[in-house]
Amino acid sequence: MLLPRRPVIFLGVCFFLVLLLTARSLSRPWRDVPQVIGLGDLVSSSSNTTGTGAWNTTRAHTNHLYAPPPDFIPGTPKPPGYKYSKVMVVTRTKEEDTSWIAEELPDWDHAIYVADDPTAPLHPPKNKGHEVMIYLTYIVDHYDQLPDVAVFMHSHQFAWHNDNLFAGDAAQLLRRLNLNRVIREGYMNTRCGFGPGCPAWMHPGALEEDESKQEEIMLARAWGELFPDQEIPSVLAQPCCAQFALSRDRIRSIPRARFVFYRDWLLSTDLSDYITGRIWEYLWQFIFTGEAVLCVEESVCLCDGYGFCFGGSEEWNNYREAETTKNEIQRELDNWMWLSDMGFDPPVEEDGVPEPDDPEGEKGNALVNQLQEKQQEVLDTLLAAIERGKNPQYRAQEAGRPWKEGDGF
């Protein structure tokens, strides 16, 4: 039996009105209920956008889309003599040898991940992003069993980016590392030297590629994906090269879900392995301190961080100048000896006039004397800095922090 045309239209209209009213009633309850989105953090129902549709990122009035910024509270070191639990988190490939860690640092625990061997006891879910994937994987997997201090490092014992005072030796660096400073600061770059990375290295707004930092033009895109409710900074800077120490409290000031999100981004992004690794070199300081630029004065880093206390920036610069002069004299002496051994003509001065014959080797003797004097000057300055660094009160003074009797380093 067919219904008349008008009743069919009437029923259709009624059905549509019922759906509309139901949808509106269902859409209202969540407006006053905190929402769980993104990383599983609560977002207030009063979150607003500006007139342009962008999130308001003014710090004092920001309602963050994913989560409120972590509260980076300075840590309190344990009493002198306390033995901190500590671990080295190391990234390596199958071909790289890390036996030096157990030999040189027997008092350190270690978690050595093999990036390109999925059968290794410790390995990342994917070999991508250089050390970034492994660092994040360690944090995700050990979030509830973290040591007091974790140091994230590359596999090489000797590397140019380990400061010259350690002769490039990571073992020396870690033996001198002041764990109390790591606890206080929460995050500490293991490199004190500014170059490369400080004071203003990466500019996320750059539009033209710089061959020395190819990742720069991709930073704005990556930032928007990783920190969608944070304003893109004009500069990102810290000393290179993705080696740093963290306290347990600093890691846990950030929800574990956030690290999972970062790792998921790394797994899914179409940016290359090389570019993602380079981008993250200048994100770690923001993640763990909230600071886009973290360039600690070199003399403070060396004194409070490692016990090389030269007396301040001016004294540290004087030491470096003396060391540079020493190296220049050494090169000049090496060249003179090589020319003499090869029987070549005497060296030519800068004005093009040949130097007089030196049958007795007087110039060589003079260079040797100059070198010995400068070497002694450099050594005396360094030993005095190490001696001052043994005094916890002096370290505090050079770092500009309070100290009282009984405090450790």
Side-chain angles (χ1 to χ4, degrees), residues 33-45:
V33 178
Q35 300 298 295
V36 178
I37 61 175
L39 303 181
D41 297 301
L42 296 180
V43 177
S44 168
S45 59

Side-chain angles (χ1 to χ4, degrees), residues 72-120:
F72 296 128
I73 301 172
T76 302
K78 299 293 185 182
Y82 181 84
K83 298 296 183 183
Y84 290 106
S85 57
K86 53 191 181 182
V87 65
M88 290 176 62
V89 181
V90 178
T91 173
R92 55 161 288 203
T93 62
K94 288 184 289 188
E95 290 75 24
E96 291 172 333
D97 181 14
T98 53
S99 60
W100 65 271
I101 295 174
E103 296 168 2
E104 298 281 348
L105 301 163
D107 58 330
W108 280 78
D109 292 329
H110 48 77
I112 302 173
Y113 284 75
V114 186
D116 55 351
D117 184 2
T119 67

Side-chain angles (χ1 to χ4, degrees), residues 2-282:
L2 295 176
L3 293 176
R5 181 180 180 85
R6 288 184 178 179
V8 171
I9 295 174
F10 175 77
L11 290 174
V13 171
C14 290
F15 181 69
F16 173 76
L17 290 174
V18 170
L19 284 177
L20 179 62
L21 292 173
T22 302
R24 292 188 63 184
S25 66
L26 289 174
S27 67
R28 289 173 179 167
W30 58 260
R31 292 183 179 177
D32 298 314
V33 178
Q35 300 298 295
V36 178
I37 61 175
L39 303 181
D41 297 301
L42 296 180
V43 177
S44 168
S45 59
S46 61
S47 296
N48 294 314
T49 58
T50 64
T52 62
W55 285 92
N56 182 354
T57 55
T58 303
R59 182 177 293 271
H61 302 93
T62 297
N63 288 305
H64 290 267
L65 176 62
Y66 286 95
D71 192 1
F72 296 128
I73 301 172
T76 302
K78 299 293 185 182
Y82 181 84
K83 298 296 183 183
Y84 290 106
S85 57
K86 53 191 181 182
V87 65
M88 290 176 62
V89 181
V90 178
T91 173
R92 55 161 288 203
T93 62
K94 288 184 289 188
E95 290 75 24
E96 291 172 333
D97 181 14
T98 53
S99 60
W100 65 271
I101 295 174
E103 296 168 2
E104 298 281 348
L105 301 163
D107 58 330
W108 280 78
D109 292 329
H110 48 77
I112 302 173
Y113 284 75
V114 186
D116 55 351
D117 184 2
T119 67
L122 293 176
H123 63 272
K126 186 177 182 180
N127 183 14
K128 184 181 180 184
H130 291 203
E131 69 281 335
V132 183
M133 183 69 74
I134 285 172
Y135 291 178
L136 292 174
T137 295
Y138 174 83
I139 292 173
V140 168
D141 291 348
H142 297 83
Y143 191 85
D144 295 323
Q145 299 89 31
L146 293 167
D148 295 318
V149 172
V151 180
F152 297 79
M153 299 196 76
H154 304 156
S155 62
H156 311 293
Q157 180 178 359
F158 294 95
W160 67 267
H161 50 73
N162 297 328
D163 285 306
N164 290 338
L165 288 175
F166 310 109
D169 186 352
Q172 285 194 43
L173 182 153
L174 287 174
R175 282 194 287 266
R176 296 196 65 91
L177 177 63
N178 181 11
L179 300 184
N180 285 319
R181 179 172 175 81
V182 179
I183 296 296
R184 274 194 303 270
E185 300 294 321
Y187 171 90
M188 176 181 167
N189 194 316
T190 61
R191 178 172 170 81
C192 297
F194 271 21
C198 285
W201 184 244
M202 289 290 169
H203 300 83
L207 299 177
E208 295 184 6
E209 181 176 311
D210 182 335
E211 187 65 28
S212 66
K213 40 186 175 178
Q214 300 171 29
E215 66 277 18
E216 187 173 49
I217 61 173
M218 303 305 301
L219 267 170
R221 169 192 160 179
W223 185 278
E225 294 170 354
L226 289 164
F227 316 109
D229 56 348
Q230 295 281 350
E231 184 177 357
I232 299 174
S234 59
V235 175
L236 283 168
Q238 71 165 333
C240 84
C241 295
Q243 295 192 141
F244 50 86
L246 284 166
S247 70
R248 174 175 51 226
D249 290 343
R250 182 54 55 92
I251 294 174
R252 288 186 181 166
S253 67
I254 301 167
R256 179 180 179 273
R258 186 79 65 91
F259 297 109
V260 173
F261 168 74
Y262 293 149
R263 190 174 66 172
D264 286 346
W265 175 86
L266 191 60
L267 287 166
S268 61
T269 182
D270 60 358
L271 295 174
S272 71
D273 171 68
Y274 172 79
I275 292 296
T276 51
R278 292 292 295 268
I279 284 174
W280 274 77
E281 261 189 62
Y282 299 97

Side-chain angles (χ1 to χ4, degrees), residues 303 309 388-405 407-409:
C303 179
C309 298
R388 282 193 293 270
K390 295 177 182 178
N391 185 333
Q393 184 176 5
Y394 192 93
R395 283 194 181 189
Q397 177 183 331
E398 191 154 337
R401 57 179 171 81
W403 186 88
K404 64 180 183 298
E405 193 66 38
D407 284 351
F409 290 98

Side-chain angles (χ1 to χ4, degrees), residues 328-349:
E328 290 172 350
I329 296 171
Q330 180 70 67
R331 282 193 296 271
E332 188 176 358
L333 177 60
D334 291 343
N335 290 338
W336 183 89
M337 293 178 65
W338 182 81
L339 289 170
S340 298
D341 290 343
M342 297 299 292
F344 291 135
D345 293 333
V348 176
E349 293 182 343

